Amino acid sequence: MEIGPIWRALTRNKTGAILIALQIAVTLAIIVNAVAIIQERSRLMARPSGVDEANIFYLSSIGFGDDFNERVTIQEDLDAIRNTPGVVNAIQSNSVPLRGGGWSMGLQTEPGSESESSGVAVYFIDEHGLDTYGLELVAGENFTAGDVNWREPQGVEWPDKVLLTKAMAETLFPDDFMEALGNTVYINGNEPMTVTGIIKQMQAPWNGWNGVERVMLVPQHTLFGSTRYIVRTEPGERDRLMPEIEELLAERSRQRIIRGMTTMEETRERSYQGDAGMVGILMFVVSLLTAITALGIVGLASFSVSRRTRQIGTRRALGASKPAILRYFMTENFLISAIGVVVGAALAIGLNMWMVEAFSLTPLGWYLVPVAMVLLLIVGQVAVLGPARRAASVPPAVATRTI
Amino acid sequence: MFSYYIKLGWLSIRRNPILSILMVSAIAVGIGACMTVLTVNYLMSSNPIPHKSDQLFYVQVDSWDANGFDENTEPVDQLTYIDATNLMKAGKAFRQVASNRSGLVLEPSNEDERPFLVDARTTHADFFPMFDLPFLYGSGWDKSADDAQEQVVVLSREINERVFGGEDSVGKRVTMDGMNFRVVGVIDEWLPVPKFYDVTNGAFNLPEDVYIPFSVGVANQLSRNGNTNCWKEPDGEGFEAFLAGECVWIQFWAELRNEQEKEAYMSFLNAYAEEQKALGRFPRPLNNRLRNVMEWMEHQEVVEEDAQVMLWLSMLFLLVCLLNTIGLLLAKFLGKAGDIGLRRALGATKGTLFTQHLIESAMIGLAGGILGLFLTWLGLQGVQHLFGEFLTNLAEMDWVMVLTAIGLAIVSALLAGLYPTWRACNIAPASQLKSQ
């Protein structure tokens, strides 16, 4: 190979080469970090919420007027919804996973305000809760109708029984989560509750919370004036039932407002909208940037080909074959790109270290940098192919002409 | 001379249309990406009330749990009812308001129309002059209405439109949650971005539909739609116990016109905290804060971290585009080596050539900037589409951003043109003439 002469020719006219190399380096740094962010966000978005997302929707009912009897309304509403054909089950609950707003408390294994407590998301459900959300019980048993009581506004009473997710049980009993079963945990510092069951998985309403899988289920109906019904339907029946259930509730009383009818799928979409947007933008940036860099290579290579037309003609006249000319420009680009990707690798790692520090991003996967290096080398070779072929097709006779 | 250079630049740009288009697009794409992100960042971090942002202070008194306290611990971001009431009663600031987010069911007088839910803010009389709300009709209520728990209401323009068809509704009545409110004012379009007076419940939410006295909200136990945090459960059941408990749910602002007033208010807050300690509350060491609007926005990190990451990436993006442009300009100017050599040989000074080529670069920059503006507009549409309602108020360009974009484009192009121009001017006249 003619690497020696190509390199020496490059060093004599290095500005263009340096510019391309720098451009490749910065491109690599951006691409690698953008992909790292895309990976991180996609991982977050792929986490399951633990509930039967495809078949659940929910809506709120807000009662008003002096003679509005909330307790009776809730019982009758739930009966009516559960008896609708196509509905699997329904409950009243305060929130759903990923909704954004919800209720949290602290749980601890020892009573007293001195003891350390762990934050936990609270869902109020009744004995239909597990079926409605589609939750899997790993150990213990579901609530019975007798466990469920009514919570007044500003009430401070907690029931005796509680179900925990496996993640919450692990937080409280790090040695073995099964220890939680039958054990007593304390809410509000010193109110005891017995753990009667462990749920495999369910997410809190806040996807950004670091304890997103720490959830407790409490057997209580709430009388907070505004209530939320969660409805699970047979597969494929959801969209048909949504307007039907809304109508059903609206018809039953004029003293309330039905609003905020939302599916779990919409909730997921809204919850991760920022992340999805970021992923979209970054993907766009990665492709645009690669295209710009490729165009830059094309532009500069074309320029250098046209400037060296006579030189190429001379070489051809002296016996250089077409492939030799092609190889010359490809090798030249490879040398420039190689320098670019090496510098870029260092830049990418540096930028990532800084971003991890400044924005608490996760560090790069080890394979990202080498993969991006190889890809950019290939992009460079493809980009230079056109100009190089044009160079190769310069006829030897050019050498004899003046410009 | 200037117009002659522009003509020369134009001719030169036309001579290599593909190279020129590449350069203009590179700058345009870089500017478009940078400005899209910059606009969102700029709006997120803009000053929502510039003429008095340094006189409005968010008040934090630390009523929180002593557990887990260390010297870096921030006081909790809202106030308890006890503290808000006490600070209101003391009235030590020029103006002060406690406020909270709530919701009401509005029952239109027209029987055919269904009742609907409105976002409400319960607050004090000073809210309106303090935050300079623009009134379409009427005005805010008097302080006496606060004390007397008068059922008065200030409507937003939209609600007035919906309920009264947009007419002057001052003096008319609206039924909300079964109560009969008298309209005292209608505010005009008012959209503070960020929604600085209640960052806790969403810095980019829309303002509320109706404003009613705080005392009316409490007396009627209206629901709280905002964030409520308690570090210990109230002693006993019911609303009274809740009010007397250690739950924070109220935003408190004070208007302090100068440094003296601010210092005086800070000492008042500290004295108040000591007083509460004596009563057995405020278990933490003295830890109160007064932050003006911009300090509060910064502390609450109103500008999303994602937006900052994007800003850095977009700057690097612009850098790539500029490197690209430098390379292309270099190619172009050196390609004119023959011309330049001839002009030098005919007596053109380096200075004139320098000016001429910089003007050509600036023209490319200007074209790139204008195209970049269009791309920015496209980018903002795209961003809005991707992020949805969160960005509705954040994806609009104002003239500051338009000028910034053009300026950035020209400066970038000039910077990019500097080195190629310098190289072009140093072409020796003789070397080019020989080969001709």
Side-chain angles (χ1 to χ4, degrees), chain B residues 57-62 69-76 79 252 262 265-266 269-270 286-292 296 299:
Chain B
F57 291 87
Y58 193 76
V59 177
Q60 290 168 279
V61 292
D62 203 346
F69 179 87
D70 70 47
E71 64 213 48
N72 297 321
T73 310
E74 276 291 323
V76 65
L79 256 54
F252 196 96
K262 187 191 165 189
Y265 201 74
M266 194 65 207
L269 285 183
N270 289 339
L286 208 55
N287 189 28
N288 304 321
R289 299 277 192 286
L290 275 180
R291 288 188 166 100
N292 71 28
W296 180 236
H299 173 253

Side-chain angles (χ1 to χ4, degrees), chain B residues 302-343:
Chain B
V302 161
V303 179
E304 298 254 321
E305 229 166 48
D306 274 3
Q308 291 177 41
V309 172
M310 290 307 299
L311 186 63
W312 284 101
L313 287 182
S314 70
M315 300 268 203
L316 286 175
F317 192 105
L318 181 62
L319 177 66
V320 171
C321 294
L322 288 187
L323 285 172
N324 201 317
T325 313
I326 296 176
L328 295 172
L329 271 177
L330 192 65
K332 171 148 200 195
F333 287 174
L334 293 185
K336 294 201 303 184
D339 278 18
I340 296 170
L342 186 63
R343 286 206 40 214

Side-chain angles (χ1 to χ4, degrees), chain A residues 15 19 23 26 30 41 64 113 154-157 188 257 259 273-274 277-278 281 288 292 300 303 354 359, chain B residues 29 67 105 115 117 233 237-239 242 305-306 308 310 312 316-317 320 324 326-327 331 386-387 419 423:
Chain A
T15 323
L19 285 172
Q23 200 181 327
V26 180
I30 299 179
R41 298 302 163 98
F64 59 91
S113 58
Q154 322 298 343
V156 293
E157 290 290 317
N188 267 334
I257 294 173
R259 67 198 295 270
Q273 194 168 37
M278 189 86 168
I281 289 187
L288 194 62
I292 289 176
L300 273 184
F303 169 69
W354 176 73
F359 302 112
Chain B
V29 168
N67 265 2
V105 175
L117 212 67
E233 197 87 2
E237 301 244 349
F239 197 69
F242 168 75
E305 229 166 48
D306 274 3
Q308 291 177 41
M310 290 307 299
W312 284 101
L316 286 175
F317 192 105
V320 171
N324 201 317
I326 296 176
L386 282 175
F387 288 90
Y419 177 73
R423 281 283 299 271

Side-chain angles (χ1 to χ4, degrees), chain A residues 301-334:
Chain A
S302 308
F303 169 69
S304 96
V305 168
S306 64
R307 226 166 46 125
R308 281 187 269 182
T309 307
R310 271 187 73 193
Q311 195 188 322
I312 298 164
T314 312
R315 277 194 65 199
R316 292 277 283 126
L318 291 177
S321 65
K322 280 190 175 191
I325 303 288
L326 192 72
R327 203 162 57 234
Y328 181 93
F329 282 97
M330 305 281 283
T331 313
E332 186 185 68
N333 171 269
F334 186 82

